[in-house]
Amino acid sequence: MTTPRVYTIKAGVAFADALASGLYDRAAGDPLALARTTIILPTRRAARAVTEAFLRVTDGKALLLPRLLALAELEADRDNITTLDMGAPDLPAAIDPLQRQLMLARLVMARRGDFAVTPDQALRLAQALAELIDEVHTEGIDFAKLADLAPESFADHWGQTVEFLRIVTAFWPDMLAERGMVDPALRRVLALKMRAALWLAAPPADPMLAAGFISADPALSTVIAAVARLPQGAVVLPGLDQDLDNEGWDEIEPHHPQFGLKSLLERIGVGRLDVAPWPSAISDTSPRARLLSEALRPAATTDRWRSGAPVAAAALDGLIRVDCETVGEEAEIIALAMRRALETPGRTAALVTPDRSLARRVAAALKRWHVEVDDSAGRALGETPIGIWLRLVADCVVGGFAPRLLLAMLKHPLAAAGLKTEELRHRVRLLERSVLRGPRPGPGIAGLKAALSRAPDSAFENSREKQLLQNLLDDLDARMRPFAALVARGGGDLETLLTRHAEAAEALATTADEPGGMRLWRDQDGEAAADLIARLCEPSDHGLPDIPADRFPAMLGALMQAVTVRPLYGVHPRLSIWGLIEA
């Protein structure tokens, strides 16, 4: 078997640029050499970064690029990779994640006694169960020893948990078997293992690299190990710490940033000191990497700080430490630093954090300067403008058009009610000032109309203002009536509720010049919301019972929370928020 070839690019070097530089030099002027090379990368974003790096390395010259393959493409369909696999066994289809969530929710709701839950709670529990199932498949374990995990002191409580988890240990496998399907994570594992076996059995004739992986689960490790052992294969790791002594390396634990790389090397079967530096014209002479290595030294070996060689003072050049009292202050300072970077032409800046709360705060702070930052993790659909709008419409109707809910809905930028936006804002301010600042109106639009009729004439500058509000409430009643009537009946099946709700949201978003559908479903978040609603309205066998009207807004929120929206355009080209893989 071929000895595995594993390289690393130091942490202080731009990974994509160094990778492109090394491959370009290796091609030695052969215009087809690069085109014959396949590079497997962790994400599609990484593939775009490597494409841009080749443009920088070649100063924008025309070039036949390597085949850049994101991991998601490798997992999805073996026929997308190579034609060497003809005759390999077909893999079972993966169940749609949304259908799985709905089916698991049905199983959760079927539980009785202490496990009785509302539909929205069932959906959230179903999502958690789905994540547990995928994690078990990804890590290559099973539920066989589940009952023995907890000590005897927790026996009663753990027994209830084990009983609940029978949903995924007993009932769910049978439901999948009936459909001839598997969980998405299991299909991914099967696809990756088959890929590794086929490559080792019939190695590709052209060069192949796996680059940019900072960790890997067992199935992905199998593929990376196979690539490392191909006759023309290699693995290029980012930022492997080769400055740390062996004692420190042995003490690295799961919370350490290098633990993923350590585990990956162990699964490949390569020692850390056997990893070679990637040959590239781009190098780093900064002592910063050693400073970071020592700063992150495992606690068990920090006594080496006294006896080891000192870190060069130059390692601190340009390094600033800021102590913040609150998370809000931290976000403000980061946003200011990123905004300041834009003052220098061509300069880029990125926030690297796994903390989603901090990332959202920084992105919100940058919007004060009308700067939309590229956040690699995206946002949940429920946190986007269209997601918030859909939830406001549902909350308002289900809440009986209570003043607070009504004003929140009508003040949303998407609200129009057939008027020009500024005209609606004028009428809403008039409604708030003249009708809602007093005794609470009765429920529904009928209650609002009654409150308007009781309002004294002195609350209006002229009779026309009162008529404008009467017209607004009549129009609102007409637009929301089908959905409000369904809510008044106590709810219904999920498809009918979603259809009436979407119709009401469209009707209320209609302006004097543009239909509501054109406004709601056109951007990335709108497309994601339309796709979610369409999929939920498709005929299926999830068998959810009728949804009580008062639980519909929460259920809608739970469904939207599972959908991630990532911007495709409109973000600033020089600012980014990255997770660990992207960084």
Side-chain angles (χ1 to χ4, degrees), residues 75 138-139 188-189 192 215-222 264 267:
E75 299 164 346
T138 299
E139 295 301 325
R188 170 187 177 275
V189 168
L192 291 177
S215 63
D217 54 73
L220 178 55
S221 297
T222 302
L264 179 56
R267 287 168 174 165

Side-chain angles (χ1 to χ4, degrees), residues 431-512:
L431 178 69
E432 181 179 8
R433 184 176 66 248
S434 305
V435 179
L436 300 181
R437 292 183 181 177
R440 182 185 178 93
I445 295 180
L448 293 169
K449 290 181 178 180
L452 175 62
S453 66
R454 294 192 302 267
D457 292 340
S458 59
F460 305 95
E461 293 184 2
N462 51 59
S463 59
R464 179 177 177 274
E465 288 188 343
K466 193 167 187 177
Q467 186 60 48
L468 286 177
L469 292 186
Q470 183 66 50
N471 295 342
L472 174 64
L473 293 179
D474 288 342
D475 183 82
L476 190 63
D477 188 15
R479 294 175 189 274
M480 310 300 283
R481 187 179 298 124
F483 183 38
L486 184 60
V487 169
R489 292 198 296 270
D493 62 89
L494 181 59
E495 179 182 352
T496 305
L497 277 168
L498 283 169
T499 301
R500 296 291 174 266
H501 169 249
E503 291 171 350
E506 281 189 13
L508 193 56
T510 298
T511 69

Side-chain angles (χ1 to χ4, degrees), residues 336-543:
L336 282 168
M338 296 178 74
R339 174 65 181 83
R340 184 181 181 184
L342 298 181
E343 300 295 331
T344 304
R347 188 176 181 186
T348 60
L351 165 64
V352 181
T353 177
D355 186 340
R356 297 305 313 143
S357 175
L358 177 62
R360 285 193 297 269
R361 286 173 178 267
V362 171
L366 285 168
K367 285 184 179 179
R368 289 205 304 269
W369 297 292
H370 306 289
V371 175
E372 289 284 346
V373 65
D374 184 6
D375 186 349
S376 65
R379 287 188 294 174
L381 176 59
E383 298 169 1
T384 63
I386 182 62
I388 294 171
W389 170 246
L390 292 174
R391 182 63 188 266
L392 285 175
V393 172
D395 282 335
C396 182
V397 176
V398 172
F401 295 89
R404 178 180 61 84
L405 300 174
L406 176 67
L407 290 175
M409 179 181 71
L410 292 179
K411 289 182 178 181
H412 190 278
L414 286 171
L419 304 170
K420 291 185 179 296
T421 304
E422 58 272 15
E423 174 60 23
L424 176 65
R425 299 295 176 269
H426 168 69
R427 297 191 190 189
V428 171
R429 288 192 295 268
L430 184 60
L431 178 69
E432 181 179 8
R433 184 176 66 248
S434 305
V435 179
L436 300 181
R437 292 183 181 177
R440 182 185 178 93
I445 295 180
L448 293 169
K449 290 181 178 180
L452 175 62
S453 66
R454 294 192 302 267
D457 292 340
S458 59
F460 305 95
E461 293 184 2
N462 51 59
S463 59
R464 179 177 177 274
E465 288 188 343
K466 193 167 187 177
Q467 186 60 48
L468 286 177
L469 292 186
Q470 183 66 50
N471 295 342
L472 174 64
L473 293 179
D474 288 342
D475 183 82
L476 190 63
D477 188 15
R479 294 175 189 274
M480 310 300 283
R481 187 179 298 124
F483 183 38
L486 184 60
V487 169
R489 292 198 296 270
D493 62 89
L494 181 59
E495 179 182 352
T496 305
L497 277 168
L498 283 169
T499 301
R500 296 291 174 266
H501 169 249
E503 291 171 350
E506 281 189 13
L508 193 56
T510 298
T511 69
D513 306 315
E514 190 175 17
M518 293 295 293
R519 298 184 68 209
L520 293 189
W521 318 120
R522 61 187 176 192
D523 294 325
Q524 289 105 322
D525 56 342
E527 291 177 2
D531 177 69
L532 175 64
I533 293 172
R535 290 166 62 198
L536 289 169
C537 290
E538 289 176 353
S540 67
D541 58 355
H542 57 69

